[in-house]
Amino acid sequence: MATKPRTVICIGDIHGHISKLNKLWLNLQSVLTPSEFTTALVIFLGDYCDRGPETRKVIDFLISLPEKHPEQRHVFLAGNHDFAFAGFMGLLPRPLDGSKLKDTWNEFEANEEREGWYKGPGFEDMHVQGRRWGGKIRDRFATVGVEYIGSIYDAGTTFESYGVPHGSSDLMEAVPESHKKFLTNMVWVHEEEDVFVETEDGLKQCKLIAVHAGLDKWKSVNHQLKLLRDKDTSISKIQPLSGRKDVWNMPQELDDKHTVVVSGHHGKLHVDGLRLIIDESGGYDYNPLAAIILPSKKIIRDTDIFSN
């Protein structure tokens, strides 16, 4: 008898919403059999911080999972918000080409004043996204119908969850060592062989690539995967972590019907063949937090109510 395909759970952007995460986790336990849940591969698609009120509690929850569920496998992808948080904290690796992290400022320096980049202790050796994350947005910048919570990244709530004011260098001391380790160890991409997915043609065995925003359809997939595996911080804006239109669709190079690309980031729930975008909440209070279960492609939300 063939072995039953393993269960893979991909969880969308949490953005500091611990109550939603707790409810979603309980719902996943309810809908899966005990053996499916206990042995699942669980991929968190990134953006654990900002917007919602409890970044600290979210990271505590994620850190606790390996001990609470030792038979599960857990993958923690870096989202663009988490990358920027790590950048502010000085936890990113050095650029591979020998350049300095401050060289990443050059591409966006025209935006420094209006985005209010961070200029406090440690800024001289900070990736541009860390400076944008920790900075204080100028009021006049919020003229396009968007209200920012502190910075361009809505990072104010993350500072507050650790008990320090937005933009304060005290965050560097307030974040526990276990959280710093978590931010340091996040992966930028996860590749998994032999994942099964239900398709119109039946159950299909695929390779799965999970990356926060998706893969740039205009660039070599192998080149992008190498950059992501290597965590190349010489780049000022990493498209697979923070891009929009260019990373929405499946790269033509992978349109072979045997590769699943799953991401969060886009503030949408979008299931199109083997291109999966799981970010129904976008980090906002009024939207549900969603996950997708493979092989079935069943969507589970924190708002679901399952009868006993």
Side-chain angles (χ1 to χ4, degrees):
M1 184 176 174
T3 308
K4 187 176 180 183
R6 83 184 108 175
T7 299
V8 180
I9 303 167
C10 301
I11 295 178
D13 304 21
I14 301 161
H15 279 299
H17 287 286
I18 188 62
S19 59
K20 292 185 181 193
L21 178 56
N22 279 321
K23 288 173 187 170
L24 177 66
W25 194 253
L26 290 171
N27 283 343
L28 288 165
Q29 281 182 286
S30 297
V31 81
L32 291 166
T33 67
S35 64
E36 287 171 338
F37 183 76
T38 3
T39 61
L41 166 62
V42 188
I43 302 173
F44 291 88
L45 297 171
D47 280 0
Y48 314 113
C49 62
D50 303 342
R51 295 192 180 136
E54 300 288 3
T55 290
R56 181 174 186 152
K57 288 183 180 176
V58 166
I59 295 180
D60 278 336
F61 179 102
L62 300 176
I63 288 169
S64 75
L65 289 177
E67 189 176 341
K68 287 181 179 173
H69 302 280
E71 291 181 69
Q72 287 181 345
R73 284 176 57 211
H74 305 101
V75 173
F76 305 109
L77 289 175
N80 55 316
H81 287 255
D82 315 307
F83 175 94
F85 182 8
F88 181 85
M89 296 293 297
L91 300 172
L92 294 176
R94 310 305 301 177
L96 294 173
D97 60 4
S99 61
K100 298 183 186 304
L101 284 169
K102 69 177 184 180
D103 293 340
T104 60
W105 307 352
N106 300 336
E107 185 178 350
F108 296 108
E109 62 187 349
N111 298 338
E112 179 174 2
E113 183 59 29
R114 68 172 187 163
E115 291 181 0
W117 293 3
Y118 173 79
K119 291 182 181 177
F123 89 95
E124 301 92 344
D125 191 31
M126 197 176 276
H127 192 281
V128 63
Q129 302 304 338
R131 291 194 65 198
R132 295 176 81 220
W133 185 83
K136 292 188 177 179
I137 197 77
R138 299 290 181 259
D139 290 340
R140 69 175 182 273
F141 189 63
T143 56
V144 289
V146 177
E147 289 186 22
Y148 294 102
I149 308 168
S151 75
I152 195 83
Y153 276 97
D154 296 330
T157 54
T158 296
F159 282 82
E160 289 160 18
S161 78
Y162 289 97
V164 301
H166 175 252
S168 169
S169 62
D170 292 345
L171 185 69
M172 298 170 191
E173 297 301 321
V175 172
E177 285 303 316
S178 59
H179 290 212
K180 291 176 182 175
K181 184 178 178 184
F182 175 84
L183 291 168
T184 301
N185 291 341
M186 292 179 301
V187 296
W188 293 12
V189 65
H190 180 73
E191 299 162 80
E192 187 77 21
E193 302 290 342
D194 303 326
V195 170
F196 287 83
V197 183
E198 289 286 358
T199 71
E200 293 175 357
D201 303 320
L203 195 63
K204 184 166 285 190
Q205 187 174 1
C206 299
K207 174 178 178 174
L208 179 142
I209 299 172
V211 56
H212 177 65
L215 293 171
D216 192 325
K217 64 182 178 181
W218 305 113
K219 294 179 181 170
S220 154
V221 168
N222 285 338
H223 174 76
Q224 292 180 76
L225 292 177
K226 183 177 188 315
L227 174 157
L228 294 164
R229 293 181 200 123
D230 292 346
K231 295 186 172 181
D232 187 353
T233 57
S234 66
I235 299 161
S236 54
K237 184 178 180 183
I238 298 151
Q239 284 295 110
L241 301 192
S242 56
R244 293 291 176 184
K245 291 180 181 177
D246 288 348
V247 293
W248 177 271
N249 294 317
M250 180 78 79
Q252 192 169 0
E253 197 179 326
L254 291 180
D255 196 19
D256 54 9
K257 311 301 182 194
H258 295 291
T259 306
V260 181
V261 176
V262 60
S263 74
H265 183 63
H266 293 278
K268 303 279 184 186
L269 187 66
H270 175 80
V271 177
D272 181 14
L274 298 179
R275 177 67 177 108
L276 314 176
I277 298 173
I278 312 301
D279 181 27
E280 194 166 19
S281 80
Y284 296 106
D285 293 342
Y286 45 82
N287 291 333
L289 177 63
I292 192 167
I293 299 172
L294 302 177
S296 67
K297 288 174 145 178
K298 185 175 179 64
I299 303 294
I300 302 296
R301 299 174 173 86
D302 71 294
T303 50
D304 292 337
I305 298 171
F306 298 105
S307 54
N308 294 326

